[in-house]
Every structure is written in structure tokens, then in C-alpha cells.
Amino acid sequence: MSLVFYTNPMSRGRIARWMLEETGADYETVVLDFASTMKSDDYLAINPMGKVPAIVHDGHVVTEGAAICAYLADVFPDAGLAPPTTDRADYYRWLFFAAGPTEQAITNRSLGVTTDERQQMTAGYGTYDLMVDVLEKAVSAHPYIAGDSFTAADVYVGSQVAWGSQFGTLPKRDAFDAYVARLVSREAYQRAGAKDDALMPAPAA
């Protein structure tokens, strides 16, 4: 098996790293620089968007954080990171809610974009406040986003909530704090963070 992980420690690659650590699979890490190697012809042949993360598994390319999480859960079933196929409604629902409405609402808000009443009908997230309220209810319904067991969806949703709470792109909510606390104690989360932190550039003197 060949599994290559393309990333930068200051990127959404941290999501994929956490997921890879949850699978227990062996993988090779290739660290790319935003201004140079990420825009090289070699890497653009893997991801024409020139962004990370990306994985290449036995010749198959997967990009986009949510897709990587879902893919790895499927190709490493022994890790138990996806519910049975008959019980994946919440798993898919919230995984792609975080990748769609949550990501869009946070990005637009950071860019100073707000939706008026008419635009709310077009925007998949409606309004930022609506997205936040729905996300809060989702993480409050069960110990984990798809029920009583941790899944790959928690890697993606949990990353969104953890980052949003830390950097202020999501408001402080007790439900968000409680959900994140359940996730950051996981050994795979801590291993992934340590590996990425070790790759961070040294602070300027």
C-alpha cells in the first residue's frame, strides 16, 4: 500500500492528519510551501487548486478535507470510523453540513459578506446566525455528531468547531466547548497535533 499525505502545518491539512492518525495507517508526509511547491507543476497535477490537504492512496487522488475523511473511513474499515451503511444518515448529513453551509457562512462572514432577506434564499447557509444555531443543536444532540460513537464526521465537524471557537469565527457556546473537550482528549488527535506542531516554522528571533 502507498499512502502519501500532502500538507502544510498551518492549513486544513491538520484535519486530514488527525484522520490519518485515527486510521492507524502508515503514510508518508510531504510538506508543501504555500508560495512555491504548492503551486508547482508536480503538485498541480495532483490538485489543480494548488491547495492542501491531498492524499494519494495507491494512485488514487483525494482532495477536500471532508472527502478525505469519508474516503479514509471507507478504505480502512477496521478502524471503525464510519457507521454501518444502514445507519449513515446523520454521519453524512453533518459531515457535509460542516463542509458546506458551515464553511460557506464562516468564509463569507470573515470576508465581510452578509446576506439580505432575498439573498438568504440563495445562500445554502441562509444566515451565519442560523448556521451557528443549527450546528449548536447538532453537537448537543448526542455525545458525538452521528450518535453515541466517534466517527470520521467528528474529525471534520470537530475541527471546524475547535478552530472556530479558538479563533473567533464561531461564537463561544457551552455546547461547542463540551463537544470539543470530548474530542481533544483522543490519542490520535494529540498525536496529530504533535506531528504538525513539530513542522511549524521556528518563531522569528
Side-chain angles (χ1 to χ4, degrees):
M1 182 202 75
S2 172
L3 179 53
V4 183
F5 168 47
Y6 297 87
T7 189
N8 182 289
M10 299 175 64
S11 75
R12 290 175 177 83
R14 284 181 172 260
I15 301 173
R17 168 85 75 181
W18 178 13
M19 184 64 195
L20 283 161
E21 291 296 319
E22 290 284 355
T23 68
D26 293 327
Y27 61 94
E28 174 189 353
T29 300
V30 177
V31 179
L32 302 177
D33 176 78
F34 289 103
S36 58
T37 50
M38 211 175 289
K39 310 303 180 186
S40 69
D41 290 342
D42 286 347
Y43 185 64
L44 291 175
I46 293 170
N47 185 358
M49 291 293 291
K51 293 180 177 293
V52 291
I55 63 170
V56 180
H57 175 234
D58 288 342
H60 301 291
V61 175
V62 188
T63 63
E64 314 312 318
I68 291 171
C69 288
Y71 177 86
L72 290 173
D74 285 346
V75 297
F76 296 105
D78 290 346
L81 295 168
T85 55
T86 54
D87 194 26
R88 290 193 182 179
D90 282 346
Y91 171 78
Y92 286 130
R93 177 186 183 185
W94 298 115
L95 175 61
F96 293 108
F97 180 85
T102 299
E103 176 82 13
Q104 294 160 11
I106 288 174
T107 298
N108 279 358
R109 186 171 186 265
S110 71
L111 296 174
V113 176
T114 58
T115 52
D116 60 31
E117 187 172 350
R118 183 171 182 176
Q119 291 169 331
Q120 290 164 25
M121 299 173 63
T122 301
Y125 62 88
T127 68
Y128 171 84
D129 290 338
L130 174 61
M131 178 279 294
V132 170
D133 289 344
V134 171
L135 183 60
E136 180 183 20
K137 290 177 182 177
V139 302
S140 304
H142 308 284
Y144 297 101
I145 196 66
D148 293 331
S149 299
F150 178 89
T151 69
D154 290 293
V155 174
Y156 195 84
V157 177
S159 294
Q160 289 276 25
V161 175
W163 290 357
S165 299
Q166 180 179 358
F167 295 109
T169 57
L170 287 174
K172 295 293 291 183
R173 300 274 174 97
D174 289 344
F176 292 157
D177 290 343
Y179 177 56
V180 170
R182 289 192 288 275
L183 302 180
V184 299
S185 62
R186 296 183 64 82
E187 291 183 4
Y189 177 90
Q190 295 175 10
R191 282 198 310 273
K195 289 181 178 182
D196 279 326
D197 289 346
L199 296 171
M200 292 287 284

